[in-house]
Every structure is written in structure tokens, then in C-alpha cells.
Amino acid sequence: MTWTQPFAADSFPSGSGAFPHKHLLGIAGLQKWEILYILKEAEQWVALNRSGPAKHDGRLSGLTIINAFFENSTRTLLSFEIAGKRLGADVVNMHAAQSSVKKGETLIDTAMTLNAMRADAIVIRHGSSGAVQLISSKVDCPVINAGDGSHEHPTQALLDSLTIMRRKGRVEGQTVVICGDVLHSRVARSNLFCLKTLGAEVRVVAPPALMPSGIEAFGAQTFTNFDAALDGADVVMMLRLQNERMQGDFIPSPREYFHLYGLDERRLALAKPDALVMHPGPMNRGVEIASNVADHVERSAITEQVEMGVAVRMACLDILTRKARGQEGWS
Amino acid sequence: MTWTQPFAADSFPSGSGAFPHKHLLGIAGLQKWEILYILKEAEQWVALNRSGPAKHDGRLSGLTIINAFFENSTRTLLSFEIAGKRLGADVVNMHAAQSSVKKGETLIDTAMTLNAMRADAIVIRHGSSGAVQLISSKVDCPVINAGDGSHEHPTQALLDSLTIMRRKGRVEGQTVVICGDVLHSRVARSNLFCLKTLGAEVRVVAPPALMPSGIEAFGAQTFTNFDAALDGADVVMMLRLQNERMQGDFIPSPREYFHLYGLDERRLALAKPDALVMHPGPMNRGVEIASNVADHVERSAITEQVEMGVAVRMACLDILTRKARGQEGWS
Amino acid sequence: MTWTQPFAADSFPSGSGAFPHKHLLGIAGLQKWEILYILKEAEQWVALNRSGPAKHDGRLSGLTIINAFFENSTRTLLSFEIAGKRLGADVVNMHAAQSSVKKGETLIDTAMTLNAMRADAIVIRHGSSGAVQLISSKVDCPVINAGDGSHEHPTQALLDSLTIMRRKGRVEGQTVVICGDVLHSRVARSNLFCLKTLGAEVRVVAPPALMPSGIEAFGAQTFTNFDAALDGADVVMMLRLQNERMQGDFIPSPREYFHLYGLDERRLALAKPDALVMHPGPMNRGVEIASNVADHVERSAITEQVEMGVAVRMACLDILTRKARGQEGWS
């Protein structure tokens, strides 16, 4: 499908245009039309955010959104906080550093506490895969996964696909290369699910020790040679190298890593001439990506990704709270 | 008195239905009708919070509420923050971790700074008993004690009594057992004052080393044997065991503590068949309370306590700022 | 000029009353009328803040203000947060402790991220001189310097001048003594620029090791003897002694420092009988200032400084976002 054309009516289940999920725990399990539904909805928020300084919509007025971040993440937290506030919600942040979790409270008790305070949506970041799903099973309101362990980070994948759609016109048929620590990356997992569902060809590139076994079953082509993977690529998506992997068994040294798996100008030239450069941020310049590539005026979509992030999160908060607000279907 | 009946007119001082205190520093010193006044007012906020997603009331619009937390407390901070925002106030949090207190500023200077910023209410949590009162003496606006040292935690006691009233119909005549580290517990102190003032029978249970001397003078019956105290109990209120007491002189071991003072099914069976289980949270499951007791569908009121907490804090913020807002009496 | 008289029309460039700067990075470079413009605008916010509990103005409704604090500062952060919220803006705080900066992101990437989220104003505190200017060069929206290294802290100087104007009627012709660690103080620098531009006589007092060389070129008279500097002073502005200077090479001991450079009653008597005492806070009582001087009912303007801080920051946020909001000139 092309982004610029209106969505065909038959892309949606007959009789209903409503989003059929209570939570957004991951991309796995979402149908193509459901992903497109969110991306389509996000477009109005891109427009609102660009409309000028007074970029407010009151539809979540009176709702309480709790951002429960058990892992630090400035960007994602800021993005969700801004998204909720622009929709008029009361946004409350719960930081792990000040949390009862340190007092030994179980995750379930924390979930039940947030629920008893009558949250209308809970956004959760947690270091353990599955923690967000566990919480979602104990609360009445929608839960949005803002990244859990090495499991999923669905809003990141959604904003990445929205960025590709807007820059390339479509996701279907694009050749997307994802390079880095695929093994530990929830960004890679969510993007693989999202891009495959939308019809892209996905190539994953990683050092052998950081390539998950069996990833081919999810539709990925695997490469250990970055240069070979770049041939014919429409999009090059770099993963952040976590500091804790930079020393020791996985990575010999940041310099060596850059030599083998960093994106520099020479490598970018191996992709298609108009290939898009993406990175979820924050970047380690000179480790996984060269500065001049990251800052490339025409090719880099990195700051656009950040912008799309706010819009996608506004869409998710709006869509998932519609049922409680007595709204249904397209806005 | 019964909760379900309207308040009798003669419960209040003749000629005025207004709350006569500027601050809420503790339960000690409050008259029975004053406590009931707050609990009665909280009922409307329980109803609002349950009314649906758009649970907003604009009466504190334009007011600045500062939550000055010199001690970490996720639950209480979240509860006050949500309470203030639902009433439309501008809520600002001051965390100790980032505070001038670390730079050596005196508490009084901090108080005068918050005052000069024209706060309309200041909510304070502090590790030292009396710190909140000291601050209240230096500022123009109402101060609410959100827990100070081992002194008082009045909103906790209010939410506990509101929970008992709603579940049992009344507080008067109830037999309430409070078990744990009574010596260091501001929750126990505030509850003892509140429950006695409302006419309950209060039994406190603690290891000998953690039982304050002279507590009988405040109307409590003291027990070192938990089993004996439970006979005929309507409510069993467990206290949180602070981590810092779990080792050393006070407690031989968490396991030993649970054996002697933990609430499990066997012990709960010693209380009345419909006895209520309460805990201020966060819980140490398996230390002061067994998981199946904490999660008991009919008997445990623990998540309801959290819910009542938001409502009671909304009531306190509303009531204490009425004078400045030119409002008086019942809402 | 006198504050109580209306501003003369010829104080402003002909044909325009609009503030001609995009950012507020420092006082250096501001013309006299520009400083007066901000101070004049702040007066309405002093009035609003004193008008009662519902002190709200909706002019920044829908705008996103990000407070990016890479250095802890409770007072300044609270002041900006309250200022933004009173004007109706969505205010989002980014604390360094939870920031990507710790993950190695460059400052420029952080700036571009905040920009991509469509911030309408960014308030920055940073430990490095020049960091705020660097960020301002990478974003589309106005940037306000909330203190950078030992460079500038312009809103502090503005609130200090507003305080002097309100208490003394004018800044011009006043003799202002600034005493303390002038070498490392951004407060001293910004105040020197501001006070000189407004026509005050400025004397700086510091231990020889903490006196910047060449400061006379900026119009300051230098003293190492505090007593001598106080003769005829209208205002005594004490600087905070940073803890990190209290030991080691710069300061022999806090006690010795107080003996030589602390402001006590005896020294205050050397200034004019109605001399004003100022301190940017938080104070080290007994180190740079005696408690009875800090608390002097008639002479100390320290809490008034805090109050003026909120008003000045409201003025800055309003003025700098006017262009984007399609507003111009005097409010």
C-alpha cells in the first residue's frame, strides 16, 4: 500500500473500525491493519505538533496517566509525558529511583497500587522482559509497553515505521537493514515484527555472538558482514550499543566495533543512493555511527524519528483510552 | 455513629460548619467532628474518582501546591500529586535528592523559599519528627504532614478510618488490632489517635523492644502475644517492617518475625469471621503478612486503602485552601 | 531613572517596543532598555502572584516548556516550573540524573532531541560555561540560561535588580557591594553586567585567590578588605560559598572565611543605615552570612528575591515566546 493514498476500506474488518486491543504490549500479535490504524491516527498529531506553539487537544482532559519507569530513559519518558500533556491529561511520573520497588514491594503490588489510584493509562518501562505484561494482567486500565528487557518496545517500532512511510511513501517492499546488538535489542525485535507485518524485507546484521539463533523463523535474513547486507538497502537502521556490552566478551573494543559494524560514509554508499539512516538514540557517535552520517541533511531521519515518537504516543494514548471515554473508531 | 446515616447537626459546633484548623500536622488535637468532617468530604471524591475517566474538578485551578518530600515515598507522593491535579491545581514536586537541603540550607530557609514562591499549600514528608510543624510555623499557607519521623502521618490514619467506615459502617465500637513496630511507626500513632477519637477499641501488638512505654495512657491495650490480641478483632491492621529494623537488635530475623508477628491464615481465623485486613503498604510479603491473606478477596481492604488515600488527600487540599479561596463550610 | 515613574518613550528604539533577542543567554550584550523592559514586564506577574490563590494566566496554554537541568538546583528549577505553569504551559522537567547524557549522548544530540519534540522554550542549567549557548545554536525555540558554569545566570541578576528597584526606587546611582567567591560566580558576573548597565556603582570583594583578574575592565571596583568596601554601600549582596571551595587551597576554613568575608551585624553597620542585604540562596548561615543579618526584618531582601524570581521568569517566558505566539511589544 502507499501511504499517500487513503486507506482502502477493505483493509479493516467489516463492521468495525475500532482498535481491538486493550493494551499495547508489543508488536507481535498485531495485524497489519492494526499497525496502520495507529500510524494513520498519528498523522493528525504530527500536524497538530507542527501547527504552532498552542498545540493542545483536550480529549484526555481529566484522565490520569502514570508513567511508571523502572529503568531510566530520558527520551522515552519525555516523549510520553509531552504526548499525554498535549492531549490534556494529568500526567504523573513514577521513577524507579524513588520507588517502593526499592523497599521490596512486588511488581504486582505496585501495579495494584497504581490501579487503585484510578489511573486511566499506565506507561511502563522495565528492565525485565515480561514485566509489563504481568502488570497489564493486574490492572483495569490500558497498559503501554515503553520497553521491557530484551522483549519489545512497540512505540519505537511504530515511530520508525511512520518515519519510513513518510520518507519513502510506503513500508511494503522496502529493504531495511537493522545492524547492531540484535540479541539484546527490544528495538530490533519490535521493528522486525512491525516491518515484516507491513511487508518489508528485513536484514539483520550482528556480530556472531550478538545474533539470536532462530531469528530467521521470524522472517529475517541474517548477515554477519555489514557490507554485504547493505547492497540494495532502502533503510539502514542502526542499534545503540549498550555500554555494558562494550567491554568484555561481546565487543573487543568500541574502535573494533566501529570498524566492523559502524555506519560510515563508505558503507552508506553501498546502500541505495537515497537510503535512509535511522537510529533510535541516544547515539554513540564514532561507535555505531559516524557523525557525518548521523548528521546527513538528506539521508538521516534521526531527529524526525524523535518527532514521530511524540505523535505515535499521542495516538496510542488516544486510541487505547477511547473505550473508557465512550469513543469508538476513527477520530 | 453510623456512616450510612446523615451526620447529626449537633455533631458540629453551633453556628459554623467550617474546619477550624489552618494546617493538618497530626491527628492529635483534632476533635471527633473534625475528623468526621474530613471523612465526609472525602466521600464526594471517592465518587468522582469512580465516575469515569474524566474525573476532574477545577476548584483548585490556579493554585500552586508544592510536594516537598525530604524522604522518598512513591505511594504517598503519587497520591498527593494525583489528588492535587484532579482538583485542577498546579502541582510541583520537590525531591530531597535534588534539594538544597543537601547543600546545607536550613529547613527554615527552605520553608521561607517555598513560601516566597507563593505556594497555596505545602505537603511535607520529612525524616525528623517535628520538622513539618517547624515549617508550618514559618509559612503563610496551609501545611499538610505527609509523614514526619516517628511522629504522625495523619492522612494515612484518615484513609484507614474512611476504609473501615465504608466496610464496617462505623468506626465506633470496632475492635482494631495494630501489629508491628509500633515504637517507630507514625502510622500506628496517627491511627491510635484517630481510632480512639472515633470511639474504637484499639489493641497494639509489638515485640517487647518495639512497644512504646506509656502507650496505655493514649487508650491502647498492649499485647506482646499476637494470637491473644486477635480474639474478637474486627480489623487487623499490619504495620510495615522497616528494612533497617530487620537486622540487629530489634528483630532476630524476618522469618522469626513472621513466626511471631506475621499475619497468616491461621491467625486471621482467630479474629472475627468478617475481620478486615489492612496494611499501609508497601508490603513485605512473607515478613509481616502472608500473601494469601494480603490478597484475600473479601477480607483484605489493602487496595481500597490506596483508593481512599487519593480521596482523603483531595478532601484535605480542598478543605484547607477554602479560607484563601473565600469558601467556607460544607461543599 | 526612577522606577516609580513611567518609562520614558525615548528609552526604547523608535518604532518598536518588542524585545529584540531570541534567547536569554546572559546579561552581557543586553542594552539598558532591554533589561528595563523585562523588569517592567515582571511587575504584572508580581501583582498576579500576590493577587490571591487563583493566580493563573493562560497565555502560554498549549506551549511545551522543557526545563533541562544538567546540574541540580531545587530553587531555580522550582521557580521556572512554577513560572511556566502559572502561565498555563505544559512544563516538563528533564533531570540530568536520569538523562541520556549519562549514556554518553552529546549535548548537541540532546538539544536536537528536545527540539524535535517541538519545545516552545527550553530552560537550561549546565555545569559548563557556554553549554547553553551551544544548545541555543541548535534549536528553533528560545533558550533561557538558568546558569551555566561560571559564565552567567541572567535571571538571577534580573531578579536581583528588580528587588533593588522595588526596595530602593532605582538601581542607577546605587552603590552595590558583591562579596564572596567572585572568581567562580556566575551570579556575580551577571549581576556586575546588569548593575553596571543600569548605572549602579559596583564594588566586588573577594579573597585575593578568588578575585578574577581584569574585572576592573568591566567597571567593577575591587576590594580585598570587606570593611573598606562597605563604606557608603546601599546594597550588600553576599555570594554563596560553594562547598567544594570550603576546603583546600581557596578557603582556610569556614570559620576563618566568616571572620574575613562574612556579613555580620558589625559589618552591616559600616554600610548605609538603610542598606539592603541580599543573597541568592541557599545560604550557608554562619559561613558567608550571620543568621541575624539574614533574618533582619527591615534590611534583608532575601525572601523577596525568591518572590521576584518567579515573576522575572514568568516575564522571560512570556516575552521570548511572543514572536511564536504572534504577539508583539508590551503586554
Side-chain angles (χ1 to χ4, degrees):
Chain A
M1 87 240 44
T2 54
W3 182 243
T4 46
Q5 292 175 356
F7 284 80
D10 61 359
S11 299
F12 298 93
S14 59
S16 167
F19 191 74
H21 300 280
K22 182 177 179 184
H23 307 293
L24 180 66
L25 304 179
I27 299 295
L30 291 189
Q31 297 179 58
K32 184 174 182 174
W33 79 266
E34 295 166 350
I35 294 170
L36 292 172
Y37 184 113
I38 299 172
L39 302 185
K40 172 86 177 143
E41 291 275 327
E43 279 289 329
Q44 70 188 295
W45 305 122
V46 176
L48 179 76
N49 291 339
R50 291 182 175 184
S51 67
K55 39 192 173 294
H56 228 268
D57 182 288
R59 70 183 62 190
L60 300 197
S61 178
L63 274 72
T64 302
I65 297 174
I66 302 182
N67 294 319
F69 274 55
F70 300 88
E71 246 189 11
N72 278 338
S73 169
T74 308
R75 290 162 161 267
T76 308
L77 178 59
L78 274 180
S79 188
F80 271 108
E81 187 176 354
I82 290 173
K85 286 182 172 174
R86 286 201 183 142
L87 292 172
D90 292 330
V91 182
V92 182
N93 295 335
M94 191 192 99
H95 299 290
Q98 72 196 64
S99 126
S100 305
V101 182
K102 290 207 167 166
K103 293 188 185 171
E105 188 178 44
T106 70
L107 193 59
I108 291 173
D109 284 338
T110 302
M112 288 168 68
T113 298
L114 302 183
N115 195 52
M117 291 179 183
R118 305 271 162 180
D120 297 291
I122 303 177
V123 178
I124 302 170
R125 177 96 156 197
H126 200 284
S128 300
S129 306
V132 179
Q133 186 163 25
L134 178 64
I135 290 176
S136 75
S137 70
K138 299 293 177 184
V139 300
D140 299 315
C141 70
V143 167
I144 297 177
N145 183 356
D148 65 327
S150 51
H151 174 229
E152 283 236 34
H153 190 356
T155 56
Q156 178 70 44
L158 292 169
L159 74 89
D160 287 336
S161 279
L162 183 59
T163 304
I164 294 169
M165 274 195 164
R166 292 175 59 93
R167 292 286 284 256
K168 292 291 185 185
R170 59 188 177 83
V171 171
E172 194 170 14
Q174 303 288 328
T175 297
V176 182
V177 176
I178 302 176
C179 176
D181 176 3
V182 178
L183 180 63
H184 301 95
S185 175
R186 54 199 178 203
V187 173
R189 275 179 63 92
S190 290
N191 260 306
L192 174 57
F193 299 148
C194 192
L195 293 165
K196 288 303 296 181
T197 302
L198 294 181
E201 179 188 326
V202 181
R203 304 175 183 168
V204 296
V205 185
L210 295 173
M211 178 71 79
S213 62
I215 193 171
E216 296 87 351
F218 296 95
Q221 297 170 265
T222 59
F223 293 78
T224 52
N225 183 318
F226 193 7
D227 285 11
L230 287 167
D231 182 51
D234 296 292
V235 177
V236 189
M237 197 180 274
M238 302 306 295
L239 300 175
R240 173 180 173 74
L241 191 64
Q242 306 295 323
N243 288 325
E244 58 268 31
R245 320 258 186 252
M246 281 198 205
Q247 291 162 324
D249 300 340
F250 292 117
I251 307 296
S253 76
R255 190 174 169 183
E256 177 80 354
Y257 183 84
F258 184 70
H259 179 66
L260 291 169
Y261 297 101
L263 184 64
D264 58 12
E265 277 196 310
R266 181 194 67 76
R267 280 215 173 89
L268 184 56
L270 302 175
K272 282 192 184 165
D274 61 347
L276 214 58
V277 174
M278 298 178 75
H279 191 295
M283 292 184 277
N284 297 300
R285 289 166 178 262
V287 179
E288 69 253 0
I289 192 165
S291 268
N292 58 355
V293 170
D295 298 334
H296 196 293
V297 176
E298 287 158 25
R299 310 284 289 278
S300 170
I302 294 172
T303 57
E304 194 172 337
Q305 289 173 273
V306 175
E307 184 187 2
M308 294 306 113
V310 177
V312 156
R313 282 150 191 149
M314 291 173 82
C316 292
L317 290 170
D318 173 28
I319 291 168
L320 293 177
T321 58
R322 272 186 203 158
K323 193 174 172 194
R325 288 184 289 123
Q327 304 294 322
E328 215 179 313
W330 297 89
S331 60
Chain B
M1 89 237 52
T2 54
W3 182 243
T4 46
Q5 292 176 356
F7 284 80
D10 62 358
S11 299
F12 298 94
S14 60
S16 168
F19 192 74
H21 299 281
K22 182 176 179 184
H23 307 293
L24 180 66
L25 304 180
I27 299 295
L30 291 189
Q31 297 180 58
K32 183 173 181 174
W33 77 267
E34 295 166 350
I35 293 170
L36 292 172
Y37 184 114
I38 299 173
L39 301 186
K40 173 84 176 145
E41 290 275 327
E43 279 289 328
Q44 69 187 297
W45 306 122
V46 177
L48 179 76
N49 292 338
R50 290 183 174 182
S51 67
K55 39 192 171 293
H56 228 269
D57 182 287
R59 70 183 62 191
L60 300 197
S61 179
L63 274 72
T64 302
I65 297 174
I66 302 183
N67 294 319
F69 273 54
F70 299 87
E71 245 189 12
N72 278 338
S73 168
T74 307
R75 290 161 161 266
T76 308
L77 178 58
L78 273 180
S79 187
F80 270 108
E81 187 175 355
I82 289 172
K85 287 182 170 173
R86 285 200 184 142
L87 292 172
D90 293 330
V91 182
V92 182
N93 296 334
M94 192 192 99
H95 300 290
Q98 72 196 62
S99 124
S100 305
V101 182
K102 290 207 168 167
K103 293 188 185 171
E105 188 178 42
T106 69
L107 193 59
I108 291 174
D109 285 337
T110 302
M112 289 169 69
T113 298
L114 303 182
N115 195 52
M117 291 178 182
R118 306 269 162 181
D120 298 291
I122 303 178
V123 178
I124 302 170
R125 176 96 156 197
H126 200 285
S128 300
S129 307
V132 179
Q133 185 163 25
L134 179 63
I135 290 176
S136 75
S137 70
K138 298 294 178 185
V139 300
D140 299 315
C141 70
V143 166
I144 297 177
N145 183 355
D148 65 327
S150 52
H151 175 228
E152 283 236 33
H153 189 358
T155 57
Q156 179 69 45
L158 292 168
L159 73 89
D160 287 337
S161 280
L162 183 60
T163 304
I164 294 169
M165 274 196 165
R166 293 175 59 93
R167 291 287 283 257
K168 292 289 184 186
R170 57 188 177 85
V171 172
E172 193 169 14
Q174 303 287 330
T175 297
V176 182
V177 175
I178 303 176
C179 175
D181 176 3
V182 177
L183 180 62
H184 300 95
S185 174
R186 54 197 176 204
V187 173
R189 276 178 63 90
S190 289
N191 260 305
L192 173 58
F193 299 148
C194 192
L195 293 165
K196 287 304 295 181
T197 302
L198 294 180
E201 179 188 327
V202 181
R203 303 175 183 167
V204 297
V205 184
L210 295 173
M211 178 71 80
S213 63
I215 192 170
E216 295 87 350
F218 295 96
Q221 296 170 264
T222 58
F223 293 78
T224 52
N225 184 317
F226 194 7
D227 286 10
L230 287 166
D231 182 51
D234 296 291
V235 177
V236 188
M237 197 180 274
M238 301 306 296
L239 300 175
R240 173 180 172 73
L241 191 64
Q242 305 295 323
N243 288 325
E244 58 268 32
R245 320 255 186 256
M246 282 199 207
Q247 292 163 325
D249 301 340
F250 293 117
I251 307 296
S253 77
R255 190 174 168 182
E256 178 80 355
Y257 183 85
F258 183 69
H259 178 66
L260 291 169
Y261 297 100
L263 184 64
D264 58 12
E265 277 196 309
R266 180 193 68 76
R267 281 215 172 89
L268 184 57
L270 301 176
K272 281 193 185 164
D274 62 348
L276 213 57
V277 174
M278 299 178 75
H279 191 294
M283 290 184 277
N284 297 300
R285 288 165 179 263
V287 179
E288 69 252 3
I289 192 165
S291 268
N292 58 355
V293 170
D295 298 334
H296 197 293
V297 175
E298 288 157 25
R299 311 283 290 276
S300 170
I302 295 172
T303 57
E304 194 172 337
Q305 289 174 273
V306 175
E307 183 187 3
M308 294 306 114
V310 177
V312 156
R313 282 149 191 150
M314 291 173 82
C316 293
L317 290 170
D318 174 27
I319 291 167
L320 294 176
T321 58
R322 272 186 204 158
K323 193 176 173 193
R325 288 183 289 122
Q327 304 294 322
E328 215 180 312
W330 297 90
S331 61
Chain C
M1 88 238 46
T2 53
W3 182 241
T4 45
Q5 293 175 355
F7 284 82
D10 61 359
S11 299
F12 298 94
S14 61
S16 168
F19 192 74
H21 299 280
K22 182 177 179 184
H23 307 293
L24 180 66
L25 304 179
I27 299 295
L30 291 188
Q31 297 179 58
K32 184 174 181 174
W33 78 265
E34 295 166 350
I35 293 170
L36 292 173
Y37 184 114
I38 299 172
L39 301 186
K40 173 84 176 145
E41 290 275 327
E43 279 289 330
Q44 69 188 295
W45 306 121
V46 176
L48 179 76
N49 292 338
R50 290 183 174 182
S51 67
K55 40 192 171 295
H56 228 268
D57 183 287
R59 69 183 63 190
L60 300 197
S61 178
L63 274 72
T64 302
I65 297 175
I66 302 182
N67 293 320
F69 273 54
F70 299 88
E71 245 188 12
N72 277 338
S73 169
T74 308
R75 290 162 161 266
T76 308
L77 178 59
L78 274 180
S79 187
F80 271 108
E81 186 176 355
I82 289 173
K85 287 182 171 174
R86 285 201 183 142
L87 292 171
D90 292 331
V91 182
V92 182
N93 295 335
M94 191 191 98
H95 299 291
Q98 72 198 62
S99 125
S100 305
V101 182
K102 290 208 167 164
K103 293 187 185 173
E105 189 178 43
T106 69
L107 193 59
I108 291 173
D109 285 337
T110 302
M112 289 168 69
T113 298
L114 302 182
N115 196 52
M117 292 178 181
R118 305 269 162 182
D120 297 291
I122 303 177
V123 178
I124 302 171
R125 177 95 156 197
H126 200 285
S128 299
S129 306
V132 178
Q133 185 163 25
L134 179 64
I135 290 176
S136 75
S137 70
K138 298 293 177 183
V139 300
D140 299 315
C141 70
V143 167
I144 297 176
N145 183 356
D148 65 327
S150 51
H151 174 229
E152 283 236 33
H153 189 357
T155 56
Q156 178 70 44
L158 292 169
L159 73 89
D160 287 336
S161 280
L162 183 59
T163 304
I164 294 170
M165 273 195 166
R166 292 175 59 93
R167 291 286 284 255
K168 292 290 185 185
R170 59 189 176 82
V171 171
E172 194 170 13
Q174 303 288 328
T175 297
V176 182
V177 176
I178 302 176
C179 176
D181 176 3
V182 178
L183 180 62
H184 301 96
S185 174
R186 54 198 178 204
V187 173
R189 277 178 63 91
S190 289
N191 260 306
L192 174 57
F193 299 149
C194 192
L195 293 165
K196 288 304 296 181
T197 303
L198 294 181
E201 179 188 326
V202 181
R203 303 176 184 167
V204 296
V205 185
L210 295 173
M211 177 71 80
S213 62
I215 192 170
E216 295 87 351
F218 297 96
Q221 296 170 263
T222 59
F223 293 77
T224 52
N225 184 317
F226 193 8
D227 285 10
L230 287 166
D231 182 51
D234 296 292
V235 178
V236 188
M237 196 180 274
M238 302 306 296
L239 300 175
R240 172 181 173 74
L241 192 64
Q242 306 294 324
N243 288 325
E244 59 267 32
R245 320 255 186 256
M246 281 197 207
Q247 292 162 323
D249 301 339
F250 292 117
I251 307 295
S253 77
R255 190 174 168 181
E256 177 80 355
Y257 184 84
F258 183 70
H259 179 66
L260 291 169
Y261 298 101
L263 185 64
D264 57 12
E265 277 196 310
R266 181 194 66 78
R267 281 216 173 88
L268 184 56
L270 302 175
K272 282 193 186 164
D274 61 347
L276 212 58
V277 174
M278 300 178 74
H279 191 294
M283 290 183 279
N284 297 300
R285 288 165 179 263
V287 179
E288 69 252 2
I289 192 165
S291 268
N292 58 355
V293 170
D295 299 333
H296 197 293
V297 176
E298 287 158 26
R299 311 284 288 278
S300 171
I302 295 172
T303 57
E304 194 172 338
Q305 289 173 273
V306 175
E307 183 187 3
M308 294 306 114
V310 177
V312 156
R313 281 147 192 152
M314 290 173 82
C316 293
L317 289 170
D318 173 28
I319 292 168
L320 294 176
T321 58
R322 272 185 202 159
K323 193 176 172 192
R325 289 184 288 123
Q327 304 293 322
E328 215 179 312
W330 296 90
S331 62

